[in-house]
Amino acid sequence: MAIIFTNLDRRVIPNWKSFAKTSFSKELCSNVNLDESKFQIDDYIFDWESNKQISFAGDLLSAAIANNQTDRIEVKEAANQILKEKGNVTESQIQLAKIILTGDNCPTEESDLVTKKRDVIFDCIITPEHISKKIAILKKKIQECNYNPILYVELSRYYICLGQVEQSIKAMRIALFLDPSNRFIVRSAARLFLHLRDKEQAHYILRKSSSLMKDPWLLASEISIALLQNKSSRHIKKGLEFINSKNFHSASISELASSIATLEFINGSNKKSKKLFQTSLIDPNDNSLAQAEWAMSNSLNIDADINDLRGRFDNNFYESRALACFIEKDFNNSIIYASEWIEEMQFAKRPILFASTISTTFLKDYTLSQKILKIGLQANPSDSQLINNIAYNFALGNDVINADKYLSQIKSSMSIDPVTEMCLLATKGLVLFRKGQPKEGRELYINAIEKSSKFKESPWLNWIAVLNYAREELLINSEYCDDVINSISKIKESDNDFNVKELKKDVYELIEKRKENTL
């Protein structure tokens, strides 16, 4: 049984994209002091010319746009190369290439998107080999300029994409030592430690920054991370002063307004929350727009046209677009946007779970899901949820050898939450069914179903466990089929329980086939 993506507890934690992509956004505007001479576009040109690979071309295009150097011959060469290899590049890379070659900065039309899942192969996501090359290049640059903190942040990001935690932390601490007040560095460091589940350290880094009380971006992150710890930030009043002062560009206070709006919403102050969310949407980034959608999906009426906002701003909003397509049941385009979301933050587990849920449950493409989950496991090699999900996918594809291989990576020393423990039981039951051992598999499934029934606030967990078990009994046409058919008839899912409805549909198709075979 897979751990499925849920959008229940989203918070406005800082994204951690590459410096080039962050430069292309509005996050580095106004009161951030970055010495651009330290990170020239010539470095990107050198990388591109030395490797001639798409990942380096994409970085060059982002840096060229951010630094207003799109007319350079090498940049146009990289843009042309991206357009020549449309089958192996991301939509964002294509869009950047079009901006450089045509000056057209309009969002890509939905009709231009690839709509066949076989074309979404996730090979556009940077491979471990390419990451290792980028690490080697960064190390060489650091030897030439070892006082550039941005280089260390980039190094830290690549290390964490490979799951090399100690190296990532070491590089980030050097960056913090060199420039502890830099917005990009402080937010990146906080996001690294959140990824490592060290909320206290993430919060400490923000609280100790000398820029905290004068930078709305840092304050937004501090308030959100305090909320993650079930604490109330001491700086809410200061944040509201920033928002009401009119001294900051609306883009600079978007995340701050969104962070406080989330706090007010959780505390039941819907009127205050609505007003703050509306402020956050005056000039939103991908983070604040996705947070507004989260609030709306949790029944807060913000009176905002999210589709219009996506169209009016230059931001790519990949998370928002992926979730919107999912809600509209446009799963093929949803997974395309999810691939862009993963590319921006390859270390993050949330987009991995989202994309793998779509490919497994709705597209029934287990090979694609395995590819997505392997990307997630690069950065999170000991994550029990991702290990469970990839084993589940291999078992659904009747590859019990690989399913067992991944399940064997689960160690007793791992800290496993009750939901994941229950899902692992069900997955092991699935593997036993596919091995031709239904008696043993049945025992594990029943155990998992009993455990899932204890999660009263998440009844869908029990329904999914029952449906997974029912599928296996129906596939072997066992003597328990009538019992499981009776069990699934009692499932009363809501309209928003997409995963439950899809699994239920699959099971009912098996029931119909069974009826046909018995006539």
Side-chain angles (χ1 to χ4, degrees), residues 63 88 112 181 215 229 233 236 276 416 444 450 467 500 507:
N88 196 35
D112 291 339
S181 62
D215 191 330
Q229 297 174 286
S233 169
I236 303 294
L276 285 162
I416 301 175
L444 291 181
E450 289 174 353
L467 287 165
V500 177
V507 170

Side-chain angles (χ1 to χ4, degrees), residues 230-507:
N230 296 316
K231 297 177 181 178
S232 180
S233 169
R234 294 178 294 174
H235 306 304
I236 303 294
K237 183 177 179 181
K238 186 66 175 179
L240 291 171
E241 288 177 8
F242 279 2
I243 293 167
N244 297 323
S245 69
K246 310 300 181 184
N247 292 331
F248 297 94
H249 189 277
S250 52
S252 294
I253 60 168
S254 180
E255 282 196 16
L256 179 58
S258 184
S259 294
I260 302 177
T262 302
L263 178 64
E264 295 289 2
F265 180 51
I266 291 171
N267 290 337
S269 302
N270 286 8
K271 186 175 180 180
K272 291 180 181 178
S273 179
K274 175 181 176 179
K275 184 177 179 182
L276 285 162
F277 270 122
Q278 288 174 335
T279 299
S280 77
L281 296 175
I282 294 173
D283 193 351
N285 65 2
D286 48 352
N287 205 358
S288 55
L289 185 69
Q291 191 67 13
E293 288 190 272
W294 165 83
M296 292 171 72
S297 70
N298 283 278
S299 304
L300 180 66
N301 180 17
I302 299 176
D303 291 333
D305 187 338
I306 300 295
N307 287 325
D308 177 64
L309 287 166
R310 289 196 205 99
R312 284 196 293 116
F313 293 95
D314 294 336
N315 206 314
N316 291 306
F317 300 132
Y318 294 127
E319 179 184 354
S320 173
R321 290 178 185 275
L323 290 168
C325 288
F326 176 79
I327 292 169
E328 294 164 6
K329 299 182 181 180
D330 182 1
F331 302 118
N332 287 318
N333 281 332
S334 181
I335 203 164
I336 292 170
Y337 285 126
S339 72
E340 304 281 356
W341 184 12
I342 291 172
E343 188 206 15
E344 288 195 328
M345 293 198 297
Q346 193 166 325
F347 63 90
K349 193 170 83 170
R350 181 176 159 84
I352 295 291
L353 280 177
F354 176 80
S356 62
T357 295
I358 293 174
S359 56
T360 301
T361 304
F362 301 97
L363 300 180
K364 310 294 190 295
D365 191 334
Y366 309 130
T367 301
L368 175 60
S369 192
Q370 291 156 19
K371 186 171 289 189
I372 294 165
L373 289 162
K374 284 178 181 178
I375 293 169
L377 284 166
Q378 287 173 20
N380 307 274
S382 301
D383 189 281
S384 56
Q385 292 186 343
L386 297 181
I387 293 171
N388 170 80
N389 283 15
I390 197 167
Y392 176 78
N393 273 274
F394 274 115
L396 287 177
N398 295 312
D399 185 348
V400 294
I401 293 175
N402 271 310
D404 272 338
K405 183 186 82 171
Y406 279 97
L407 286 173
S408 68
Q409 295 177 17
I410 301 294
K411 307 299 181 184
S412 58
S413 58
M414 287 183 178
S415 177
I416 301 175
D417 64 271
V419 171
T420 303
E421 184 180 7
M422 179 271 296
C423 289
L424 280 164
L425 273 176
T427 298
K428 290 174 182 177
L430 167 63
V431 172
L432 287 168
F433 262 99
R434 298 299 170 104
K435 283 181 175 180
Q437 300 172 249
K439 180 181 177 181
E440 294 85 351
R442 189 174 297 120
E443 290 176 0
L444 291 181
Y445 261 123
I446 291 172
N447 190 356
I449 290 168
E450 289 174 353
K451 287 181 180 293
S452 68
S453 66
K454 296 176 182 178
F455 300 105
K456 302 298 183 183
E457 294 182 357
S458 306
W460 49 269
L461 285 170
N462 180 249
W463 300 335
I464 290 176
V466 169
L467 287 165
N468 271 276
Y469 168 55
R471 179 193 60 231
E472 297 309 305
E473 296 286 15
L474 288 163
L475 282 171
I476 62 172
N477 195 24
S478 76
E479 66 269 30
Y480 297 95
C481 284
D482 290 337
D483 291 336
V484 297
I485 290 170
N486 181 55
S487 296
I488 64 173
S489 66
K490 298 175 182 178
I491 294 175
K492 304 295 182 183
E493 76 279 4
S494 71
D495 290 339
N496 294 327
D497 289 324
F498 289 177
N499 292 279
V500 177
K501 291 175 76 172
E502 184 68 16
L503 283 171
K504 194 174 182 181
K505 184 189 79 172
D506 294 343
V507 170

